[in-house]
Amino acid sequence: MPYSPLLVKPFRDELTEVGVKELLTPADVDQFMIKPGFNILVINSVCGCAAGMARPAIRILMEGDKKPDNIASVFAGQDLDATARFRNYIADIPPSSPSIAFFKDRELIYFLPKHRIESRDAQSIANDMIGVMEEYA
């Protein structure tokens, strides 16, 4: 059973306020995954490392000068079908939420799983993301 929409609304808003598009359905995910360019997909979550590290790192990234061509999120525990569809695109990677996937012209180039998020601060994570963007975007 999915989390209550009232519970996750502030967690969603934290990303949409800085321009992250929500992918609510499998069709939304499919449309996102065919976009060319440098794209980021965030698997959002209710856990503490999403609140304290992942979402703040995304906000830092989006407040900077260099931004991805497209950035979107699915919400694990809420957008069940959309999250499952996205995980099909990265089937070789075990489920991990929160996590952040980076694509260049539809090819996965970098993946930041939960275990590389939960033990670090938001600025360090943002620095990693900025480094990926500088290398590939």
Side-chain angles (χ1 to χ4, degrees):
M1 173 170 256
Y3 293 118
S4 161
L6 294 175
L7 171 71
V8 301
K9 183 177 180 346
F11 308 144
R12 290 178 179 280
D13 292 349
E14 195 172 347
L15 293 182
T16 59
E17 288 170 355
V18 294
V20 177
K21 179 180 172 29
E22 290 187 286
L23 307 178
L24 304 174
T25 68
D28 292 343
V29 172
D30 292 339
Q31 285 298 108
F32 179 82
M33 293 303 295
I34 63 171
K35 293 181 181 208
F38 186 84
N39 303 323
I40 298 174
L41 199 139
V42 180
I43 298 181
N44 201 351
S45 174
V46 298
C47 74
C49 59
M53 293 92 162
R55 289 192 300 270
I58 294 294
R59 292 181 67 87
I60 292 168
L61 176 74
M62 295 304 289
E63 290 166 358
D65 294 332
K66 189 166 187 154
K67 296 179 179 46
D69 296 315
N70 300 285
I71 184 166
S73 68
V74 294
F75 206 109
Q78 175 66 47
D79 307 325
L80 305 180
D81 294 336
T83 302
R85 177 64 59 95
F86 174 65
R87 286 184 171 146
N88 285 337
Y89 281 97
I90 57 168
D92 292 342
I93 297 174
S96 178
S97 57
S99 59
I100 306 166
F102 301 77
F103 297 89
K104 175 71 176 181
D105 295 326
R106 298 177 287 278
E107 180 183 341
L108 180 67
I109 56 169
Y110 190 80
F111 187 78
L112 195 57
K114 179 178 182 165
H115 74 270
R116 296 230 17 251
I117 293 171
E118 64 188 343
S119 62
R120 301 171 64 214
D121 63 85
Q123 187 63 59
S124 296
I125 297 163
N127 290 344
D128 282 358
M129 293 190 295
I130 292 165
V132 173
M133 287 189 64
E134 288 173 350
E135 184 173 346
Y136 293 98

